[in-house]
């Protein structure tokens, strides 16, 4: 049973660290919501515990990029069914193109993963079911040289967290805590579920 706010904040942080580093972690693919109330599942690539920043990868041509640049307010929903813990996070998104962070993220990806940025942009209409990939890269890992045009379509989405809502579902009674960021400090409180 969680009964200490510092313990809950540590649990939050540890779950986000694991979600970013373990592709089998239940919170590895949260729902990400932009200010235009559009939601999608994304892969959490990194969590910076010092700055409480989430990192995702995105295609520069995706509609969410324009939404985030117009209004950076975002929400991210994590759920661990086995632990019965839900984390709702709110923050501000930032799209990074051609920066050191973006270059590092690109360099650490596999060619198989980077090939996604070679195809048609997200939401491009098609007459038939399609992956959007050029035919020569369907099921094939492209070379570094083949991927040169894909770099222009790759970006990093950073979400700087400002509010956290942690909910533990228990048959004995649910427990909920909220945290709000004030500068570098987090202020927590217990609330009714």
């Amino acid at each position: 049973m969680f009964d200490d706010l510092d313990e809950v904040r540590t649990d939050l942080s540890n779950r986000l660290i694991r979600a970013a580093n373990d592709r089998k972690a239940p919170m590895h693919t949260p729902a990400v919501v932009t200010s235009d109330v559009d939601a999608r599942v994304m892969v959490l690539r990194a969590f910076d515990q010092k700055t409480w920043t989430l990192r995702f990868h995105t295609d520069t041509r995706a509609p969410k990029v324009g939404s985030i640049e117009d209004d950076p307010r975002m929400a991210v929903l994590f759920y661990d069914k086995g632990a019965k813990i839900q984390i709702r996070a709110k923050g501000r998104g930032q799209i990074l193109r051609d920066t050191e962070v973006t270059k590092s993220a690109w360099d650490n990806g596999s060619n198989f993963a980077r090939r996604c940025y070679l195809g048609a942009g997200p939401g491009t209409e098609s007459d038939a079911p399609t992956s959007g990939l050029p035919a020569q890269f369907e099921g094939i890992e492209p070379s570094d040289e083949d991927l040169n045009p894909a770099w222009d379509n790759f970006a990093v989405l950073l979400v700087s967290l400002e509010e956290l809502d942690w909910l533990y579902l228990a048959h004995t009674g649910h427990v909920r805590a909220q945290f709000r960021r004030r500068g570098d400090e987090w202020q927590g409180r217990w609330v009714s579920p």
Side-chain angles (χ1 to χ4, degrees):
M1 176 65 174
F2 293 94
D3 58 7
D4 179 81
L5 286 170
D6 288 336
E7 180 183 340
V8 171
R9 198 161 52 91
T10 298
D11 181 72
L12 272 162
S13 180
N14 289 341
R15 287 183 186 284
L16 296 177
I17 290 168
R18 180 171 176 235
N21 294 320
D22 179 358
R23 64 186 319 158
K24 293 182 181 177
M27 294 184 173
H28 184 62
T29 53
V32 178
V33 185
T34 46
S35 61
D36 58 349
V37 198
D38 196 6
R40 78 277 296 141
V41 172
M42 294 182 75
V43 174
L44 179 61
R45 304 294 181 168
F47 168 64
D48 185 327
Q49 185 177 12
K50 291 181 183 176
T51 62
W52 285 81
T53 302
L54 307 172
R55 189 186 87 215
F56 301 93
H57 298 167
T58 191
D59 192 307
T60 59
R61 302 165 294 173
K64 70 178 165 288
V65 169
S67 295
I68 294 164
E69 290 175 335
D70 288 344
D71 183 347
R73 292 175 300 156
M74 299 190 68
V76 184
L77 175 64
F78 299 89
Y79 185 61
D80 182 333
K81 182 178 178 180
K84 298 184 277 185
I85 291 179
Q86 171 185 274
I87 299 170
R88 292 186 301 159
K90 292 181 183 177
R92 296 183 108 34
Q94 178 184 9
I95 301 294
L96 302 180
R97 298 173 174 88
D98 199 16
T99 67
E100 287 301 316
V101 171
T102 313
K103 181 78 170 108
S104 176
W106 178 262
D107 289 345
N108 287 318
S110 70
N111 283 6
F112 202 73
R114 289 187 289 225
R115 76 187 174 126
C116 297
Y117 301 96
L118 281 172
T124 300
E125 194 170 324
S126 173
D127 292 334
T130 181
S131 69
L133 291 172
Q136 71 267 32
F137 299 120
E138 286 283 350
I140 304 292
E141 184 170 340
S143 69
D144 289 345
E145 187 176 318
D146 291 332
L147 286 166
N148 285 337
W151 165 250
D152 290 337
N153 301 326
F154 179 76
V156 164
L157 164 59
L158 295 181
V159 180
S160 179
L161 301 179
E162 298 173 343
E163 295 179 33
L164 299 165
D165 188 302
W166 176 94
L167 175 65
Y168 172 59
L169 302 169
H171 70 279
T172 55
H174 307 325
V175 179
R176 184 174 173 202
Q178 293 178 332
F179 299 87
R180 191 171 290 232
R181 193 172 184 173
R182 302 279 187 238
D184 290 337
E185 299 294 319
W186 287 93
Q187 295 176 345
R189 64 184 184 167
W190 297 108
V191 296
S192 174

